[in-house]
Amino acid sequence: MNHSLYDKLQVLEPAGQVMDREERLRAAGRPLLSWYHEHRRILPWRERPEPYRVWISEIMLQQTRVEAVKPYFDRFMEALPGVAALAEVTEDRLLKLWEGLGYYSRARNLKKAAELLVEKYGGQLPSSYEELKALPGIGSYTAGAIASIAFQIPVPAVDGNVLRVISRMTGSMEDITRQSVKKAMEELIKDVMPKEDPGSYNQALIEVGAIVCVPNGTPLCGSCPLFSLCIAREKELTGAIPVKAPKKARRTEYRTILILTKDGRVAIRKRDSTGLLASLYELPGLDGAVSQEMIKKTLGINEAKITPLPEAKHIFSHVEWHMTGFRVELTEVPEGDYLWVTPEEMNKTYSLPGAFKAYTKLIR
């Protein structure tokens, strides 16, 4: 799309007048799109915005930095290049491909959705926003992103970046963690977004939030295509906007993590099917910080070489694990539902969450 010099010009608020939210957002359209086509990052899913690729990238990008996603996306596309392959993959293989991205329920929902797509849609993603939103793991943002980027349907895709950009531009002091505020923002954007190239419009708002109107630190207002329209910049409120309700304090849990070894193999086990890290493989552990004697008693063994390992911490959204570790070299196999694998098998086949990374990296 050719963007003229006129499109790049910032829109000035008329002297003595105050634009309302809709007028302000309409005025932002041309300079925003012009800026995006000139400054957007080159990303693999943007260069080939096919529905499947957009879907996978959007799920991966939730709670994960763009640069960190790139190698995961390439590996995933090579292993599972389409809906049919995703529907047929085993859960262990899928979770291994997802290992390191966290939030494993997202990977499981991908497979559930792929199975539905094969069953109901001939292995293709539907072009309907409502049908996309009905698929497992797809909410309003992801459905809007797929519909607008892959199918050019003019529906909004409002994530944290967009909430921050629009809140600052309009000077909104509403709490962006409230669902009603997000819904109102979606309606506002839907009313003003261009019918042509809505995918670029959505990505432009996201991109400004990602690299200019940044979430942490001082926004780069001098580089922003919305400079002349931004109330927060004009009134020096970028530190106060967006408004977010304070998060609840995370609770702390103490864990003892065990690297159990025997004859060159390491013990892993599957976690319960519900709760934190459900159905994922883990290194065996005990609640609390326990002594070496308690480890022997719990395992039901008399002799073992037990070596202390460094302490570690892992932060989940609502809980922190403070971990103490031990390497336990066994002469007898303890009772328990353990799977004994070689270090090579653990690295190539079985997915262990990042919570255990401080200890899995010690396994050779």
Side-chain angles (χ1 to χ4, degrees):
M1 183 179 293
N2 182 34
H3 289 269
S4 68
L5 177 62
Y6 176 80
D7 291 337
K8 298 180 182 180
L9 296 178
Q10 297 257 339
V11 176
L12 297 176
E13 199 163 16
Q17 297 182 33
V18 178
M19 292 181 176
D20 63 24
R21 286 186 175 190
E22 184 171 327
E23 291 170 331
R24 199 172 293 275
L25 203 51
R26 285 189 189 280
R30 283 186 172 180
L32 180 67
L33 281 168
S34 180
W35 174 89
Y36 173 72
H37 287 290
E38 188 172 341
H39 297 283
R40 71 189 182 97
R41 290 169 292 180
I42 304 301
L43 303 172
W45 45 89
R46 279 184 180 163
E47 300 314 294
R48 284 175 51 199
E50 298 153 8
Y52 179 74
R53 292 168 62 86
V54 174
W55 174 36
I56 300 302
S57 69
E58 290 296 342
I59 300 299
M60 286 186 171
L61 286 165
Q62 295 173 17
Q63 306 291 333
T64 310
R65 294 180 301 105
V66 166
E67 290 303 315
V69 163
K70 285 180 180 179
Y72 286 100
F73 179 80
D74 291 340
R75 184 178 68 178
F76 199 97
M77 285 298 114
E78 182 178 354
L80 306 173
V83 171
L86 176 55
E88 294 171 1
V89 71
T90 65
E91 181 172 292
D92 282 349
R93 174 64 174 148
L94 174 63
L95 296 183
K96 188 64 183 176
L97 289 168
W98 200 262
E99 186 178 34
L101 284 169
Y103 299 92
Y104 288 83
S105 60
R106 293 174 183 164
R108 293 191 177 100
N109 279 331
L110 281 174
K111 179 173 169 60
K112 289 178 185 176
E115 291 168 349
L116 276 174
L117 291 173
V118 169
E119 180 184 340
K120 295 180 62 177
Y121 297 98
Q124 303 296 319
L125 275 88
S127 59
S128 160
Y129 169 82
E130 293 299 336
E131 288 178 294
L132 286 167
K133 192 177 173 184
L135 293 170
I138 294 184
S140 62
Y141 165 75
T142 305
I146 298 169
S148 63
I149 297 169
F151 297 110
Q152 294 301 306
I153 298 171
V155 288
V158 175
D159 69 350
N161 286 315
V162 176
L163 287 166
R164 182 172 57 260
V165 170
I166 304 301
S167 292
R168 284 176 172 166
M169 188 176 72
T170 61
S172 172
M173 300 301 291
E174 295 178 293
D175 178 3
I176 64 169
T177 65
R178 293 173 56 193
Q179 189 61 32
S180 60
V181 173
K182 181 183 178 184
K183 183 66 177 175
M185 195 85 74
E186 289 173 340
E187 292 300 321
L188 174 64
I189 292 172
K190 187 176 182 179
D191 288 341
V192 304
M193 70 188 306
K195 299 299 183 280
E196 294 183 3
D197 205 8
S200 290
Y201 180 83
N202 279 333
Q203 290 180 94
L205 283 172
I206 294 166
E207 195 80 337
V208 167
I211 66 177
V212 178
C213 196
V214 291
N216 300 307
T218 304
L220 309 177
C221 296
S223 303
C224 184
L226 309 177
F227 178 93
S228 65
L229 294 165
C230 184
I231 293 176
R233 189 274 312 164
E234 180 185 354
K235 296 186 176 181
E236 299 184 349
L237 291 172
T238 55
I241 300 175
V243 174
K244 293 183 182 180
K247 292 182 179 179
K248 293 181 180 178
R250 284 188 291 264
R251 71 179 187 275
T252 299
E253 293 182 356
Y254 293 90
R255 303 274 297 160
T256 298
I257 306 301
L258 306 177
I259 299 178
L260 305 180
T261 66
K262 187 178 187 303
D263 300 330
R265 292 181 177 269
V266 181
I268 60 175
R269 66 185 178 190
K270 213 163 197 180
R271 290 178 62 86
D272 290 341
S273 59
T274 58
L276 187 65
L277 305 177
S279 298
L280 297 176
Y281 288 101
E282 68 170 355
L283 292 175
L286 304 171
D287 292 333
V290 304
S291 67
Q292 295 188 24
E293 285 305 312
M294 180 58 72
I295 292 172
K296 288 182 181 180
K297 183 177 179 180
T298 303
L299 293 174
I301 58 174
N302 297 314
E303 298 294 329
K305 180 181 178 182
I306 301 180
T307 307
L309 299 173
E311 294 182 352
K313 181 171 73 173
H314 187 80
I315 299 175
F316 299 94
S317 57
H318 301 298
V319 63
E320 278 187 25
W321 276 5
H322 290 231
M323 295 173 282
T324 304
F326 292 93
R327 186 188 304 275
V328 184
E329 298 175 52
L330 298 162
T331 58
E332 54 186 307
V333 176
E335 292 185 6
D337 192 16
Y338 302 119
L339 181 63
W340 294 88
V341 300
T342 65
E344 183 180 19
E345 286 174 328
M346 193 178 73
N347 289 332
K348 289 186 176 180
T349 305
Y350 297 97
S351 172
L352 274 73
F356 300 97
K357 187 176 181 180
Y359 298 106
T360 56
K361 70 181 183 182
L362 301 177
I363 298 172
R364 301 285 186 269

